[in-house]
Amino acid sequence: MNLGKTRLIIIGGAEDKKNNKVILKEISDTVLRKKGNLVIAPTASQIPDEIENIYLNVFKELGIEKIKVLSIKNRSDAYKEENIDMIKNADLVFFTGGDQLRITSILGGTPIYKELNERFANGCIFAGTSAGASVMSEVMISHGDGKNAPTKKGIGLSPGLGFIENCIIDQHFEERGRIGRLMTSIAQNPQKLGIGIDEDTAIIVNDQNKFRVIGSGAVYVLDGANCTENKISFQSIEEVIAIFGVQLHLLNNKCIFDITNRKPELA
């Protein structure tokens, strides 16, 4: 099987940091196959120093020596030349968890934002966990209620970084019962695939627009392109949504998914 070149590593959160470290080892191996320059971006976190220390220690244990931390806590930091240069020299940029709106609201429209997009277009690999996963898509879930029945009121959507096209990413999926909010997202955007990723699970997206699954959990793909009924536009914001004919694919770590052709397959 031709795995192609890795472009994105998108993690459902709470990845193993103590035992086999399957997902973080995938990141470290990917970095080391290039020039070994890893940039950790804890922008999403309100406790960035604590988060960066956790990942610094783990990635050093996994053999990465050239690690830098992109310390951007406000928009003015996104204009600093030393931070822009850090992205210019990165082989892989890793966004940590936190609040995905912090990433887009702090970085959006800044020179760092422009540099991130240029580097992605020129082969830099991007990885993200939890909030850092959600922000990878064009349309991202900014907030949403995973506990109650799905309604328009219970979901917030906003622009993400757009590194993975025609998809909406959700994370901590099974653990936080988020099928309803991803279904609502697809009802509002049936042309896009909804991808829900469990904790300690990741998708590795290649340059052929396919992804493979790694880790201990599952990945859920919702495809609403051929739904037969979609009443969301007629319903009040507090009414439970109705949508028929959405296709669900359940994938484990022996599966591949072709995003372009919307087709799962066994590895």
Side-chain angles (χ1 to χ4, degrees):
M1 179 184 64
N2 182 8
L3 298 177
K5 293 181 179 179
T6 296
R7 302 295 285 117
L8 298 165
I9 302 174
I10 305 176
I11 311 164
E15 67 282 351
D16 171 29
K17 302 177 184 68
K18 295 181 179 179
N19 299 306
N20 293 330
K21 308 182 187 73
V22 169
I23 296 170
L24 296 179
K25 190 174 187 301
E26 178 80 23
I27 291 175
S28 64
D29 289 348
T30 301
V31 173
L32 292 171
R33 282 196 294 268
K34 302 189 82 174
K35 295 180 181 178
N37 295 307
L38 171 65
V39 172
I40 299 172
T43 309
S45 178
Q46 294 188 9
I47 49 169
D49 295 341
E50 180 179 334
I51 294 295
E52 72 182 57
N53 286 332
I54 291 171
Y55 285 107
L56 278 169
N57 291 333
V58 173
F59 284 124
K60 285 178 181 177
E61 289 175 7
L62 290 170
I64 301 179
E65 298 178 355
K66 294 183 284 186
I67 309 175
K68 293 186 177 180
V69 176
L70 186 68
S71 183
I72 295 182
K73 300 177 182 179
N74 51 61
R75 286 182 65 83
S76 62
D77 291 335
Y79 287 79
K80 293 179 178 178
E81 286 298 326
E82 59 266 34
N83 288 330
I84 298 168
D85 288 342
M86 198 181 297
I87 299 301
K88 285 180 178 179
N89 295 312
D91 294 308
L92 188 149
V93 178
F94 175 67
F95 285 96
T96 71
D99 179 351
Q100 50 266 42
L101 268 178
R102 284 182 57 84
I103 299 174
T104 54
S105 62
I106 292 174
L107 301 185
T110 67
I112 279 282
Y113 179 82
K114 180 180 178 182
E115 190 60 41
L116 288 168
N117 281 276
E118 287 185 2
R119 289 293 294 124
F120 181 70
N122 286 288
C124 182
I125 299 163
F126 283 78
T129 185
S130 189
S134 288
V135 80
M136 295 294 175
S137 53
E138 295 171 295
V139 175
M140 75 174 184
I141 299 174
S142 58
H143 64 275
D145 187 353
K147 297 179 181 178
N148 298 318
T151 65
K152 285 192 284 188
K153 182 181 179 180
I155 189 76
L157 298 173
S158 62
L161 294 177
F163 294 147
I164 183 169
E165 297 180 350
N166 299 316
C167 299
I168 298 175
I169 305 292
D170 208 351
Q171 20 79 11
H172 300 284
F173 197 69
E174 185 277 330
E175 293 80 6
R176 299 186 186 179
R178 287 179 164 173
I179 184 103
R181 76 178 202 171
L182 188 57
M183 187 72 79
T184 307
S185 303
I186 293 307
Q188 294 186 38
N189 299 269
Q191 76 279 12
K192 298 189 181 298
L193 292 167
I195 301 176
I197 309 173
D198 284 349
E199 294 179 355
D200 192 41
T201 308
I203 61 172
I204 315 299
V205 186
N206 69 15
D207 58 351
Q208 300 165 11
N209 211 28
K210 295 182 178 182
F211 70 75
R212 59 188 173 94
V213 179
I214 64 170
S216 62
V219 171
Y220 311 73
V221 181
L222 294 177
D223 186 350
N226 295 314
C227 65
T228 55
E229 292 285 352
N230 186 358
K231 299 297 186 183
I232 194 166
S233 64
F234 299 98
Q235 296 176 285
S236 72
I237 62 170
E238 296 183 350
E239 186 179 359
V240 175
I241 70 165
I243 181 170
F244 302 165
V246 175
Q247 192 172 23
L248 170 64
H249 304 288
L250 179 60
L251 313 178
N252 63 15
N253 59 14
K254 298 178 178 63
C255 297
I256 295 169
F257 194 88
D258 183 333
I259 297 171
T260 301
N261 295 306
R262 296 175 173 249
K263 183 180 178 181
E265 55 188 274
L266 294 174

